[in-house]
Amino acid sequence: MENVLVIGGNRYFGRQLVTRLRDSGVRVSVLNRGSTPPPPGVTALVADRADEKALTAALAGRDFDTVIDQVCYTPRQAELAVRAFAGRTGRYLMTSTIEVYDTGVTGEPCPADLPLAESAVDPAAWPVRLELPWTDPEFVDTSYGEGKRQAEAVLTRSGAFPFVSVRLGHVLGATDFTGRLAHYAERIETGAPVLVHPGNLPSSYTHEAEAAAFLAWAAAEEFTGPVNLSSHGELTATDLCDLIAAGRPYRTAAPGPGEQASPFSFDRYYGMDNSRAQRLGHPLSHTRDWLPGLLAATRGQELPA
């Protein structure tokens, strides 16, 4: 593998992915709207990936060993990618999400203690509904898991190139821009209750560096299909509270009418089966090995405005 394109890749673990590939000797290009320059030694391609004419122009005369798509959220974006990259890449990776297993949307009941395997959502059989308002940002935001499911389905069934969907557990990192961990820290610090679902069921998590490392590794491999990526060791919302509080007292409460539960509080089981990633040969860490250090690095961060 000598030549990789990353679509997106200008923040969070995407930037780590780009620098990791570059430092390994790979020739890296980054395609985005140009709001942030890429790291030194990386080629910038400027286009809105939803604008087919601009995307085709940016790609003119170029091909790639692998494309890693960090920002494919809808089946329409996936269809455009098929048209743009068919015959232009030998491999296509899409960064997907644990949210494809949102059983509140899929309607499929899941046992309370059985980790979710890739087969729980089969992109080869998932229905694609292009008529939905996929150009409406609010609809896309509220349909995040469904958008990812349908995007996987389009890319899987296209046959245009070998395709991999990397379904990440909830990603945590010191450069997280969402303020989710800061939410816990602020409530514990001020004595405000952390709002937790009564069921307080666990989820799987991935360190930002582990996400970048896996994507860089998978770019040069030959396997296809969906693969779950998460660290060992599921965590509940109160597990996070315990680690953040570090022995200090804190309060929890159930969300009241009109209130939203805290980030990472779930009323459904969200543990992922990561055995396929291990069988493929990629080592995985344990959440309790890296989370204390990450929490120390994020202390004092302010919540986003």
Side-chain angles (χ1 to χ4, degrees):
M1 183 182 70
E2 299 178 354
N3 186 12
V4 173
L5 173 68
V6 178
I7 306 176
N10 63 346
R11 64 178 181 177
Y12 207 16
F13 64 88
R15 199 163 181 89
Q16 294 184 40
L17 166 64
V18 169
T19 56
R20 182 181 287 269
L21 287 166
R22 179 203 63 189
D23 294 347
S24 72
V26 173
R27 190 164 73 255
V28 184
S29 300
V30 170
L31 187 145
N32 54 39
R33 288 177 290 186
S35 59
T36 303
V42 173
T43 299
L45 303 179
V46 178
D48 181 343
R49 63 94 36 82
D51 182 336
E52 187 164 4
K53 183 177 180 181
L55 178 60
T56 302
L59 296 174
R62 300 175 185 271
D63 54 34
F64 309 95
D65 297 318
T66 303
V67 172
I68 305 176
D69 194 341
Q70 292 277 86
V71 289
C72 187
Y73 300 117
T74 75
R76 289 190 183 179
Q77 291 175 340
E79 283 208 328
L80 192 159
V82 169
R83 293 193 295 271
F85 289 101
R88 201 184 291 275
T89 184
R91 186 166 173 78
Y92 202 98
L93 273 67
M94 170 187 157
T95 301
S96 192
T97 173
I98 191 173
E99 299 295 337
V100 300
Y101 300 119
D102 183 345
T103 56
V105 174
T106 65
E108 295 295 329
C110 292
D113 58 354
L114 184 64
L116 292 155
E118 290 86 354
S119 58
V121 172
D122 178 8
W126 196 263
V128 174
R129 299 187 59 195
L130 294 172
E131 75 279 8
L132 295 175
W134 294 115
T135 57
D136 179 350
E138 184 176 350
F139 177 80
V140 172
D141 184 58
T142 57
S143 306
Y144 177 66
E146 179 63 16
K148 287 287 192 179
R149 284 189 289 270
Q150 293 194 29
E152 285 191 31
V154 168
L155 290 162
T156 297
R157 298 203 286 257
S158 75
F161 29 62
F163 172 64
V164 179
S165 57
V166 181
R167 296 172 177 172
L168 298 175
H170 297 290
V171 179
L172 300 178
T175 58
D176 179 14
F177 57 91
T178 67
R180 294 171 296 182
L181 289 177
H183 166 92
Y184 282 82
E186 187 268 342
R187 288 201 161 238
I188 290 169
E189 185 67 29
T190 61
V194 179
L195 300 182
V196 176
H197 286 99
N200 190 32
L201 294 173
S203 180
S204 293
Y205 295 86
T206 308
H207 191 283
E208 58 179 345
E210 191 161 40
F214 185 88
L215 287 164
W217 171 80
E221 296 297 309
E222 296 184 355
F223 65 87
T224 59
V227 57
N228 290 340
L229 178 65
S230 64
S231 298
H232 302 303
E234 301 164 2
L235 298 170
T236 65
T238 52
D239 289 333
L240 288 171
C241 288
D242 289 341
L243 289 163
I244 293 169
R248 292 174 294 164
Y250 65 86
R251 294 189 297 137
T252 63
E259 291 183 314
Q260 286 191 330
S262 294
F264 308 131
S265 174
F266 301 105
D267 58 0
R268 58 195 181 281
Y269 178 63
Y270 245 163
M272 296 173 78
D273 179 350
N274 60 14
S275 60
R276 185 179 188 219
Q278 294 182 96
R279 290 195 304 271
L280 289 168
H282 191 83
L284 298 175
S285 64
H286 196 289
T287 53
R288 291 181 184 271
D289 289 336
W290 53 258
L291 190 52
L294 185 152
L295 293 172
T298 59
R299 286 194 182 101
Q301 287 185 358
E302 295 183 358
L303 287 165

